[in-house]
Amino acid sequence: MTSALDETTAQLRAAGLSPTRRRRLVLEALDRRPRPVGAHELYVELTQQGTPVGMSTVYRTLTALAAKGLLHVFVRDGETHYRLCAAGRHYHLVCRRCGLVVEHVDEDEGWLKRIAREADFEADSPETEIHGVCGPCHRALKS
Ligand SMILES: [Zn+2]
Ligand SMILES: [Zn+2]
């Protein structure tokens, strides 16, 4: 059985980053979170948990992990948020009310290729965002 620790270490090594304590800490904090998290929010949370970490360290770590593609970046209310997505190509379905992100895995990018071909367009990012309202928010809006 692999522990969460081994997993984050392997993820970091695969991305060409040395598995430092603070990088593992940040990855573990973001693990299995459906909503992207902002640097300040994460900093407050880690501090409340008793983890001694500086705001600039949190910010730099998130930026470094995102630059290597380990985290996906979302801009919400003008602020950068970070999400640890599953591996593999996927699209993001983003709820504009609660910020929920649902991954839609599409390894061969079927519809993106089709749209691009029809439009005679070269599409380059697999990190497409589709904005809308998630089921629970939609139901809350109706009631
Ligand atoms: Zn993603
Ligand atoms: Zn929602």
Side-chain angles (χ1 to χ4, degrees):
M1 214 185 109
T2 47
S3 70
L5 191 74
D6 296 335
E7 225 172 273
T8 52
T9 300
Q11 275 177 313
L12 287 163
R13 289 231 167 90
L17 291 168
S18 54
T20 61
R21 195 185 144 273
R22 62 165 202 277
R23 284 175 183 154
R24 293 204 320 261
L25 196 77
V26 166
L27 276 186
E28 276 157 33
L30 293 183
D31 195 25
R32 283 178 277 275
R33 282 209 202 192
R35 288 175 183 78
V37 181
H40 186 256
E41 191 183 345
L42 185 62
Y43 162 72
V44 169
E45 203 181 288
L46 290 172
T47 307
Q48 279 169 355
Q49 285 169 8
T51 309
V53 64
M55 175 64 202
S56 62
T57 302
V58 172
Y59 181 78
R60 270 187 283 111
T61 305
L62 286 168
T63 310
L65 294 173
K68 290 287 183 181
L70 277 176
L71 300 178
H72 283 165
V73 173
F74 298 83
V75 177
R76 207 181 160 201
D77 301 326
E79 201 205 330
T80 307
H81 286 64
Y82 302 86
R83 186 178 191 273
L84 178 59
C85 295
R89 291 195 162 183
H90 55 269
Y91 301 110
H92 301 122
L93 305 178
V94 184
C95 177
R96 68 178 124 83
R97 278 195 93 223
C98 71
L100 178 75
V101 173
V102 178
E103 289 170 48
H104 174 72
V105 177
D106 186 4
E107 291 287 350
D108 69 357
E109 299 181 349
W111 69 267
L112 185 61
K113 278 184 187 155
R114 184 170 51 78
I115 292 167
R117 195 169 51 236
E118 283 170 10
D120 188 23
F121 186 83
E122 197 69 48
D124 54 20
S125 175
E127 292 174 37
T128 305
E129 287 182 30
I130 298 160
H131 295 257
V133 181
C134 75
C137 286
H138 187 71
R139 287 187 282 278
L141 280 172
K142 281 199 298 188
S143 61

